[in-house]
Amino acid sequence: MHSRIKTLVVAAATAMLVQASAAQEASVTLITMPPGGSWYSFGSTFGEIISKSVGDMKISAEVLPRGGGMSNPVAVSDGLADFGFVQANAAVWARDGIGEDYADRKSPNIRAVIGGLQIAHLTITARKEYVERTGQTTLEAMLKGPDYPRIVLKPQGSQVPLMADYVFAALGTSLEEMRERGAITQVSSSQMAQMVRDGTADVYIEGAPVGQATMSEVTLTTDMVFIPFPQVVLDRMTELGAPAGDMPAGSYRGQDGPYRNPTSATILIANADVPEEVVYQATKALVERQQDVADAFPALKYWDPQAGAQSDQAVIELHPGAARYYRERGWIQ
């Protein structure tokens, strides 16, 4: 019997992205980000592995070199791509229509395929000089005290301001209110380290994997204190798809012990309508070549496929094809 997978159109266009025939052939697309980004690099290898996968389907995977952290969940849900890389928290926000980027536009047709590919850590660090001068050692004290810190973070378009706003909201304030107090400066990554080093910023908020260049520069050139997240913030961020996790001790200079923080994993998602057999075969191929992926990308060397199958790292509902493979491995019920 002939079967036809849902035809998906990219931008205005023309090509059918998923189509299966009686010969069990399928073409799929994987949306990443523009060239130069890590997801674009990951995509080439993931696409090759999927295309060479062995099973009941003959799959051809095409990488779409566009998109980004906030747009990819929408693109996949809307059927503009079959698979895509996203940040776990953005997947939750898009699915549930949370925040101004997704308000009144839920994206319910996304499912997790692989979780926990690369973990980004939300960090709040303060200049040691500021902490010693003010005596403010907690985030609550900094936000409510008379001596507001000068906080530097990335511009709009990054997830960091959104994450910071949710953190502030959990403590009874907001990014906008902090702006009105004159406490917020948003600049490019290249300017942040200089501002902290010059003492024109007291607190630096970042969201990035361990070893990120700006975070490394800040902690290497300025004495910094890692500010703990209150439990109320950790609980709220977990609800928003950024579960609490520990950044290992010694990840940065000045971080002597594990740092408990909201985390967000890079995950691979699929449109809910992609056939189960296609996703099953793709999941199996990627997981069973995990070492090849790690060898190609040191940033993914900590990817643990079994951990990534769990709800705290996959974050959203698993695609039936991925869930079937994980059940076969005994990783989920």
Side-chain angles (χ1 to χ4, degrees):
M1 177 182 294
H2 288 272
S3 63
R4 185 178 184 83
I5 303 170
K6 180 181 178 183
T7 299
L8 307 173
V9 180
V10 177
T14 58
M16 287 188 294
L17 304 178
V18 180
Q19 181 174 342
S21 70
Q24 296 298 297
E25 294 184 356
S27 296
V28 299
T29 51
L30 168 61
I31 192 167
T32 59
M33 64 193 325
S38 59
W39 289 355
Y40 174 77
S41 299
F42 299 166
S44 61
T45 296
F46 277 54
E48 180 181 3
I49 290 173
I50 292 171
S51 294
K52 292 181 177 179
S53 63
V54 177
D56 293 338
M57 306 294 297
K58 179 176 175 57
I59 305 173
S60 174
E62 176 190 0
V63 175
L64 303 179
R66 49 184 170 273
M70 301 300 288
S71 61
N72 283 4
V74 177
V76 173
S77 182
D78 287 353
L80 302 180
D82 306 309
F83 293 88
F85 292 112
V86 302
Q87 288 297 124
N89 58 288
V92 172
W93 300 348
R95 181 196 64 189
D96 298 341
I98 296 173
E100 60 185 32
D101 287 86
Y102 303 116
D104 302 320
R105 186 184 180 182
K106 293 184 179 181
S107 297
N109 298 321
I110 54 175
R111 301 291 184 267
V113 177
I114 291 175
L117 286 167
Q118 185 180 34
I119 306 296
H121 298 272
L122 188 65
T123 55
I124 300 178
T125 54
R127 296 177 71 247
K128 185 176 181 182
E129 181 276 332
Y130 168 81
V131 172
E132 293 177 342
R133 172 168 51 83
T134 64
Q136 295 178 347
T137 59
T138 68
L139 186 58
E140 302 97 313
M142 291 177 183
L143 298 181
K144 296 178 181 178
D147 190 0
Y148 299 126
R150 296 164 297 177
I151 301 172
V152 64
L153 64 161
K154 291 174 179 173
Q156 299 304 110
S158 162
Q159 288 195 39
V160 175
L162 295 172
M163 299 280 271
D165 193 28
Y166 292 134
V167 169
F168 295 157
L171 295 174
T173 184
S174 68
L175 183 62
E176 185 59 34
E177 184 176 341
M178 296 300 291
R179 281 199 190 100
E180 292 172 357
R181 297 176 184 176
I184 301 294
T185 300
Q186 294 179 251
V187 297
S188 66
S189 296
S190 61
Q191 296 173 274
M192 289 181 185
Q194 186 66 47
M195 289 185 65
V196 174
R197 189 161 54 246
D198 292 347
T200 55
D202 304 307
V203 171
Y204 166 44
I205 301 178
E206 184 59 274
V210 170
Q212 189 250 19
T214 305
M215 187 69 182
S216 297
E217 182 180 355
V218 166
T219 54
L220 286 171
T221 58
T222 307
D223 290 333
M224 303 295 287
V225 176
F226 283 77
I227 305 302
F229 284 90
Q231 190 61 46
V232 65
V233 171
L234 294 175
D235 291 344
R236 177 56 179 151
M237 297 305 286
T238 295
E239 294 172 357
L240 293 169
D246 291 325
M247 188 166 71
S251 295
Y252 296 100
R253 188 174 78 92
Q255 183 216 338
D256 297 328
Y259 180 63
R260 195 75 173 162
N261 67 98
T263 65
S264 180
T266 294
I267 67 175
L268 181 68
I269 64 171
N271 182 281
D273 293 334
V274 176
E276 179 178 328
E277 193 62 38
V278 172
V279 176
Y280 170 85
Q281 187 170 314
T283 305
K284 183 177 188 293
L286 290 167
V287 168
E288 294 181 3
R289 290 189 59 183
Q290 183 268 344
Q291 189 57 55
D292 292 338
V293 171
D295 290 343
F297 304 107
L300 298 184
K301 67 180 179 179
Y302 297 112
W303 166 36
D304 178 346
Q306 182 173 356
Q310 310 310 311
S311 59
D312 62 331
Q313 289 196 16
V315 177
I316 61 174
E317 178 185 353
L318 287 169
H319 190 286
R324 187 176 114 202
Y325 175 73
Y326 295 140
R327 281 195 296 269
E328 287 180 2
R329 296 294 300 264
W331 293 347
I332 64 171
Q333 296 298 314

